[in-house]
């Protein structure tokens, strides 16, 4: 039956009649107004209704409408539609919506039965939209039934999708099936093209038959209706049927589906296979689940096996509940053999399965152990979700150990995974793991090391671990993939100086110069500050000599640092050399700034004794004193 039905559906794209060209709805002739309601009374009731609507007095407006109904009459068309629209209006936080909707429903149903030509299509749509917001499925379906009963035919595209949404949101999609069938009948029998359900509606009906009702007969009846109406199915249509046939174990019909898809020119089978997996999982036939996945990999379509996370979660739950871990591991191994070498790690079957395991809180590592016991491999994809989980849980030591196992197995991690692991390790201050990961990264010949190198150096600097920084730099000096610069040496020197480890800072400085990295202003500033903090002012004199010999350009910040340190240490001769150099280079110096430092230093000098024994120092002192503007 299915094969015959599908061949009836024209492969041409379906074009429904637009609302603008749809014929007017067929309605009953308007009844005559009862003689008991005079024109004066009608005018009075309409005036009252108009005034109530203007004043937003819903209760009074409803009373006015009931006055018409009591006389089996109706108000003016404009007033009537305004009333129903008013009662259907939705406002956030409105607690009276359901009560007003009941009145709107009664009013609309009365008009449809009495004189449907008076009810505007837009008014009906407004009412249904409010019913959707109120999750009022039963009244919405009753209203549609009233429309059909009284031959009030409104174009399907104005209300059909709203009814679908209302039913789906209320878990009653099966109730839409009756509406679908009646719309199809009216469209055919009355020859009203505008009443024809479209593809979205047809798929909703199929969804109800396949997923909720699980009725093969009803599902195939929907397909027959689509064939009669000329509505071409899509991948989702076949997907719903695939779920149902798998659920019922109807393998022959599944083969028919695949043949039919070829006939319609659908290349992708991803939706079909995903639904089949769901059906077989629900049936408990896990062997067929494995067969579907492996079959999808054997096809030429690259997207066929690119299942979504929801499918993998459903699949994994089925295997775990059935205690089929060995089968799950075997599936990953077999899938990996069929996957292309160019398959991205996060698109592999192994990744999807292990990622779902992790999300369920099931140990992905146990899957790896089972695969190892079976002597198989699942590719890099099986490791990535576990490593990501370790990162999120700050289990960096376990992640590092797993990376070692991965490398031993001859599998190479991608750069982004290494970066994420190193960043997680540095965040946790697990420097041992971070450095071990970087070494592994180097050994696997990854080309991009700069980002992770910078991450480690920055983290070590922030955590004041200059000894690790120095060892790390020495380790990567000869690696062309890492570009060590003067900035890196400066960072180490700065960190040592900040920790008052001045000898280590000097040792690093000498190593830097030996390796022919050019010291810059930051190098000297760090050393000067380190010497000042340790009160080793003579070393500033030695540094100044080194600075002059290297012919490094002096700037204001560096001159200021040298001068402050030399004045504090009482080395006025060297201080005057700095002053002369600044005058030569036209660097402005604020003498008042150094006058205070000079006066502070002067308190600790024994000038009479100094004048007798060290006349040269006195001369330098007097020179500096004159420069800052103090009389001798």
């Amino acid at each position: 039956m299915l094969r015959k039905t599908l061949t009836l559906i024209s492969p041409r794209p379906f074009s429904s009649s637009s609302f603008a060209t749809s014929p007017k709805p067929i309605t009953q002739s308007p009844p005559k107004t009862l003689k008991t309601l005079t024109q004066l009374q009608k005018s009075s009731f309409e005036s009252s209704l108009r005034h109530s609507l203007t004043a937003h007095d819903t209760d009074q407006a409803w009373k006015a409408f009931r006055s018409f109904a009591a006389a089996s009459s109706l108000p003016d068309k404009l007033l009537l539609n305004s009333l129903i629209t008013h009662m259907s209006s939705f406002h956030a936080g409105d607690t009276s919506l359901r009560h007003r909707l009941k009145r709107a429903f009664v009013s609309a149903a009365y008009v449809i039965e009495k004189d449907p030509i008076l009810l505007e299509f837009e008014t009906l749509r407004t009412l249904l939209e409010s019913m959707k917001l109120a999750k009022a499925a039963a009244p919405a379906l009753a209203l549609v039934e009233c429309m059909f009963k009284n031959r009030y035919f409104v174009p399907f595209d104005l209300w059909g999708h709203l009814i679908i949404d209302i039913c789906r949101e209320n878990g009653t999609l099966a109730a839409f099936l009756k509406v679908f069938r009646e719309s199809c009948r009216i469209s055919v029998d009355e020859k009203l093209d505008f009443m024809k359900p479209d593809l979205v509606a047809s798929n909703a009906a199929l969804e109800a038959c396949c997923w909720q009702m699980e009725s093969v007969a009803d599902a195939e009846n929907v397909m027959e209706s689509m064939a009669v109406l000329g509505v071409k199915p899509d991948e989702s249509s076949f997907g719903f049927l695939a779920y149902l046939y798998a659920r019922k174990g109807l393998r022959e019909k599944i083969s028919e589906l695949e043949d039919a898809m070829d006939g319609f020119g659908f290349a992708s089978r991803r939706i079909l296979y995903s639904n089949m997996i769901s059906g077989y999982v629900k049936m408990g036939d896990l062997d067929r689940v494995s067969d579907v996945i492996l079959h999808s990999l054997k096809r030429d379509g690259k997207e066929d096996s690119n299942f979504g996370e929801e499918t993998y979660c459903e699949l994994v739950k089925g295997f775990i509940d059935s205690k089929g871990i060995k089968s799950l591991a075997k599936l990953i191994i077999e899938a990996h053999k069929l996957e292309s070498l160019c398959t991205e790690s996060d698109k592999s079957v192994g990744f999807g399965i292990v990622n779902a395991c992790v999300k369920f809180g099931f140990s992905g590592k146990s899957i790896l152990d089972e695969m190892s016991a079976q002597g198989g491999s699942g590719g890099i994809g099986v490791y990535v979700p576990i490593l990501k989980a370790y990162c999120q849980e700050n289990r960096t030591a376990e992640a590092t150990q797993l990376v070692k196992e991965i490398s031993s197995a001859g599998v190479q991690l991608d750069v982004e995974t290494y970066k994420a692991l190193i960043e997680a390790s540095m965040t946790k201050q697990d420097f041992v793991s971070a450095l071990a990961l970087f070494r592994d990264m180097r050994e696997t010949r990854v080309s991009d090391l700069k980002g992770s190198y910078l991450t480690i150096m920055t983290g070590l600097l922030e955590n004041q671990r200059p000894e690790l920084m120095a060892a790390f730099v020495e380790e990567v000096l000869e690696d062309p993939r890492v570009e060590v610069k003067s900035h890196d040496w400066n960072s180490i020197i700065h960190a040592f100086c900040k920790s008052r480890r001045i000898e280590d800072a000097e040792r690093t400085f000498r190593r830097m110069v030996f390796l022919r990295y050019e010291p810059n202003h930051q190098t000297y500033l760090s050393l000067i500050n380190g010497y000042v903090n340790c009160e080793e002012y003579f070393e500033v004199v030695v540094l100044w000599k080194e600075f002059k010999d290297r012919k490094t350009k002096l700037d204001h910040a560096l001159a200021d640092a040298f001068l402050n340190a030399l004045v504090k240490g009482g080395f006025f001769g060297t201080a005057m050399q700095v002053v002369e150099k600044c005058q030569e280079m036209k660097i402005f110096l604020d003498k008042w700034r150094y006058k205070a430092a000079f006066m502070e230093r002067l308190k600790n000098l024994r000038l009479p004794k100094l004048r007798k024994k060290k006349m040269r120092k006195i001369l330098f002192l007097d020179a500096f004193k004159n420069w800052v503007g103090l009389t001798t």
Side-chain angles (χ1 to χ4, degrees), residues 201-382:
S202 300
N203 279 342
L206 276 174
E207 183 181 346
C209 295
C210 298
W211 282 85
Q212 292 187 3
M213 300 166 59
E214 295 189 350
S215 170
V216 174
D218 286 318
E220 293 186 346
N221 283 337
V222 171
M223 293 298 290
E224 287 180 14
S225 297
M226 293 171 67
V228 172
L229 296 174
V231 178
K232 177 184 174 181
D234 63 1
E235 289 95 330
S236 295
S237 311
F238 289 104
F240 292 132
L241 290 170
Y243 166 81
L244 181 59
Y245 293 156
R247 178 78 177 90
K248 300 292 184 180
L250 304 174
R251 298 185 186 180
E252 290 184 3
K253 286 187 175 291
I254 290 175
S255 297
E256 289 182 17
L257 278 184
E258 294 204 71
D259 292 341
M261 289 189 76
D262 288 334
F264 279 96
F266 295 126
S268 175
R269 296 286 189 276
R270 186 177 65 84
I271 295 176
L272 183 85
Y273 294 147
S274 295
N275 279 272
M276 286 169 62
I277 289 170
S278 297
Y280 283 127
V281 168
K282 195 165 184 180
M283 186 185 180
D285 190 347
L286 300 182
D287 288 339
R288 292 298 300 165
V289 171
S290 297
D291 290 344
V292 171
I293 291 177
L294 297 178
H295 177 67
S296 72
L297 290 167
K298 292 174 183 177
R299 278 182 48 82
D300 294 334
K302 293 182 179 179
E303 296 300 317
D304 288 349
S305 59
N306 187 16
F307 304 117
E309 187 176 292
E310 184 179 349
T311 299
Y312 280 116
C313 286
E314 193 173 10
L315 177 158
V316 165
K317 188 176 186 303
F319 276 90
I320 292 175
D321 290 347
S322 300
K323 298 181 180 179
I325 302 305
K326 289 184 179 180
S327 299
L328 203 55
K330 181 181 178 182
L331 173 58
I332 295 174
I333 293 170
E334 294 302 316
H336 181 59
K337 292 177 183 177
L338 295 172
E339 284 173 327
S340 168
L341 292 174
C342 60
T343 301
E344 296 176 34
S345 62
D346 61 349
K347 299 290 176 60
S348 68
V349 171
F351 173 88
I353 291 174
V354 176
N355 188 53
C357 287
V358 171
K359 288 188 177 298
F360 274 119
F362 182 78
S363 174
K365 187 65 165 62
S366 64
I367 298 289
L368 298 183
D369 294 340
E370 182 57 43
M371 289 170 57
S372 179
Q374 294 183 24
S377 170
I380 188 60
V382 298

Side-chain angles (χ1 to χ4, degrees), residues 611-627:
R611 289 183 185 280
K612 290 180 180 179
K613 294 185 177 181
K614 299 182 179 179
M615 290 302 297
R616 185 176 175 83
K617 283 193 175 184
I618 288 295
L619 291 174
F620 291 145
L621 186 149
D622 289 342
F624 189 83
K625 188 176 177 181
N626 287 333
W627 177 73

